[in-house]
Amino acid sequence: MELKLILESLLFSAQKPLSVKELRDVLAAAAGHEAADATAKSLARVKESELTAALEQLVREHETAARSYRLTCVAGSWQFVTQPEFGPWLRALVGVKARPPRLSLPALETLAIISYRQPITRAQIEQIRGVNVDATMQTLMERGLVGAVGRAEVVGRPPTYGTTALFLEYFGLRGLEDLPAADELRRIVIERPPAPVTADPGLATTAPEQLALQPAAPQPGESGNESPVGAKDSSPGQAK
Amino acid sequence: MGIFRKLRNAGRVILEMVNFYIALAQVWQKNQNRAVTSQKTSGQYFSFSFRHCKPPAPVLEFSQFIQRMAEYKVQFEVFEGPLDLLLYLIKKEEVDIYEVNLTRLATQFIEYIDLMRQFDLEIAGEFLVMASTLMYIKSRELLPVDQQVQVEGEEEGEDPRWELIRQLVEYKKFKDAAARLQVLEAEQENIFPRLPGKLEFESAAPPPRPDVSIFDLLNAVNGVLQRFTRREDQGDIFEDKWIVSEKIEVILRVISGRGSMRFAELFERAASRSEVVCTFLALLELIRLRQLVCSQPEAFGEIEIRLAAPPAETPATPEPAAAPASEPVAAAETNPQSAIPKSQSESHGT
């Protein structure tokens, strides 16, 4: 009997999502049974990495089979869920899911910043959003999506915030690395554009970069071709 | 004099109302075809909702007159802060953030702030900070580099324009991330987990109901008696109006009708200390006779009195009540539900 099929049967009839550790405990308990056969005994000390690999394979198999349900891992626990496109019928069958109201856009923005940049202080969030986040933070804390995780080692030791397991459950994420575009947003490196940022054709002046070059040329007593750096250095020279 | 003032005040109120409706109608006119909606969310600085806003009928007749009046520029979306407003302005310009013209942006930004002021909206401090940053950037661009004042401590490389652009790009990325989270959130609403029913192989045992000891009952009845400590004059002697056997009947009647009752209910209508004592003795007697069972579903919870399960054995030999009752009770051993002959119980009296 294959490990992945055993796991499938366990997850099929489990009352709640099972973590890899819980699955391993079940396998160990089954091996400890009197009537355990050789297969069960061989799985007594199965590694967690093997279990994960088997589960991943199971996920791929369900994907290729294109069933109406799939195996998924939310916040580290595996379970069978239906595909979202069958929502309308399921709602008719079991009723609307008991979920708190959808989050507002400011709350989602704040949550996005926290989820990608945790641990993060309130001041850092405000710096990114450019507005006060007290109210939104309170909402997020009340809903249990974020929580204080520690204190920043800066003056005042402000509390730092991070997302909770409920956050992963709420968005159906396996873990933080499962966040969309996680690597990109975790630490954004913004390339400085080579061209000058502003140059309004209607304005009398040109960009400051270009202006810096101009005074260098007509200055009397200076040897003609100087670099802009040289032009800057010339002013203290004149004072002498 | 007084009448004139009143008239003038009334006129002013009417004028204000008319002005308000005119403004409302203007706003509505401008937005008839424009989807200006807003959600009621926390953390927003201003929000307008015109979609459901219909002008009252008489104002419609004003509309032509209104159109000639000064134009209102209402095109508010919901901005969550100065960065959001800036992004909106950049989007309107249809240029890349990196190539945006900050001087023109500064002008537009300040126009918006003026607009907010016209609407008497409270302008949050963040908007003013951003406006001053933009003005600073704009003013810097008007000066050649060597005439610019070098702020002490500020590094050569720190260009306020660049700082702003960097902040905008970062904010934009998180705004997009928020949109992706919103999609995930909506998708989660349509995903249903498989939740198999509990597999029941063993008969589920009823939850344990801890029995109540005599001390719990005494504590409870003490609480009830507290009500009467002050009220009664100790010196007088009353005839005993209450007898235990009567109370036994009352309790049994109530409980057989309803199945169970709370401890406090027993004494709800008790008028005197002696009545409480009498009722309590009746309860104790019924427990002794295994007619009733007391239990306390949770610690410090209300004590619950129920009919005992079909008695395994009927108490054959009733002992005389040891409690300090004025009248010992005749045990209703054989047929508790039926009325206990009063004469019998009284005849046993001391």
Side-chain angles (χ1 to χ4, degrees), chain B residues 70-308:
Chain B
E71 282 221 352
Y72 260 83
K73 287 174 193 150
V74 183
Q75 34 182 290
F76 273 38
E77 283 196 7
V78 179
F79 301 116
E80 282 140 32
L83 289 174
D84 204 26
L85 175 53
L86 277 180
L87 280 182
Y88 166 76
L89 292 174
I90 292 170
K91 207 172 100 189
K92 229 176 58 177
E93 291 270 301
E94 294 180 347
V95 287
D96 192 86
I97 293 183
Y98 289 109
E99 289 158 14
V100 79
N101 184 331
L102 280 179
T103 47
R104 201 184 304 155
L105 207 61
T107 320
Q108 288 175 346
F109 189 88
I110 286 157
E111 271 172 18
Y112 261 87
I113 291 207
D114 283 341
L115 199 63
M116 285 158 77
R117 211 170 265 148
Q118 276 180 31
F119 276 115
D120 277 342
L121 294 170
E122 267 185 42
I123 297 168
E126 291 100 348
F127 281 90
L128 295 180
V129 171
M130 181 56 73
S132 66
T133 310
L134 286 165
M135 288 311 287
Y136 173 57
I137 290 171
K138 198 172 166 182
S139 68
R140 256 176 73 114
E141 304 220 339
L142 294 171
L143 280 175
V145 164
D146 57 349
Q147 285 179 35
Q148 283 176 7
V149 180
Q150 269 301 324
V151 181
E152 225 172 291
E154 197 178 286
E155 277 178 44
E156 189 86 4
E158 256 185 70
D159 188 338
R161 295 173 305 172
W162 168 240
E163 272 299 301
L164 183 62
I165 298 272
R166 195 193 55 74
Q167 209 182 350
L168 274 174
V169 171
E170 194 178 33
Y171 177 66
K172 178 81 170 59
K173 295 217 169 183
F174 279 114
K175 213 171 151 57
D176 295 345
R180 283 197 290 270
L181 282 184
Q182 199 169 30
V183 172
L184 278 181
E185 184 189 30
E187 194 183 273
Q188 271 315 106
E189 281 172 18
N190 282 324
I191 291 178
F192 291 76
R194 176 180 154 76
L195 285 176
K198 193 161 170 57
L199 304 169
E200 278 185 38
F201 297 119
E202 299 160 37
S203 63
R209 282 172 172 276
D211 279 347
V212 178
S213 74
I214 179 72
F215 300 105
D216 293 325
L217 285 173
L218 282 174
N219 273 338
V221 84
N222 257 336
V224 177
L225 284 173
Q226 301 262 306
R227 285 196 303 193
F228 303 103
T229 41
R230 295 278 160 84
R231 246 189 267 165
E232 272 179 79
D233 196 344
Q234 303 289 325
D236 291 341
I237 299 167
F238 294 98
E239 73 167 314
D240 287 322
K241 276 189 274 180
W242 313 102
I243 44 176
V244 177
S245 58
E246 251 179 27
K247 283 290 168 193
I248 286 180
E249 280 178 58
V250 171
I251 294 172
L252 280 176
R253 199 163 55 234
V254 173
I255 292 208
S256 59
R258 289 177 28 195
S260 75
M261 72 191 296
R262 288 179 294 115
F263 184 80
E265 273 178 276
L266 272 182
F267 305 102
E268 254 164 15
R269 288 201 268 161
S272 70
R273 196 179 169 84
S274 64
E275 188 178 355
V276 171
V277 171
C278 209
T279 313
F280 185 59
L281 286 175
L283 173 71
L284 288 181
E285 188 60 25
L286 282 167
I287 293 170
R288 193 181 70 82
L289 295 174
R290 292 169 202 270
Q291 297 287 324
L292 295 181
V293 176
C294 281
S295 64
Q296 202 170 11
E298 59 201 76
F300 308 111
E302 184 81 57
I303 292 172
E304 202 181 83
I305 306 157
R306 282 176 296 124
L307 272 182

Side-chain angles (χ1 to χ4, degrees), chain A residues 85-108:
Chain A
E85 54 264 37
F86 301 100
W89 294 278
L90 282 157
R91 263 198 299 280
L93 177 71
V94 295
V96 178
K97 268 172 115 178
R99 258 167 92 89
R102 286 191 187 180
L103 290 165
S104 68
L105 216 60
L108 278 169

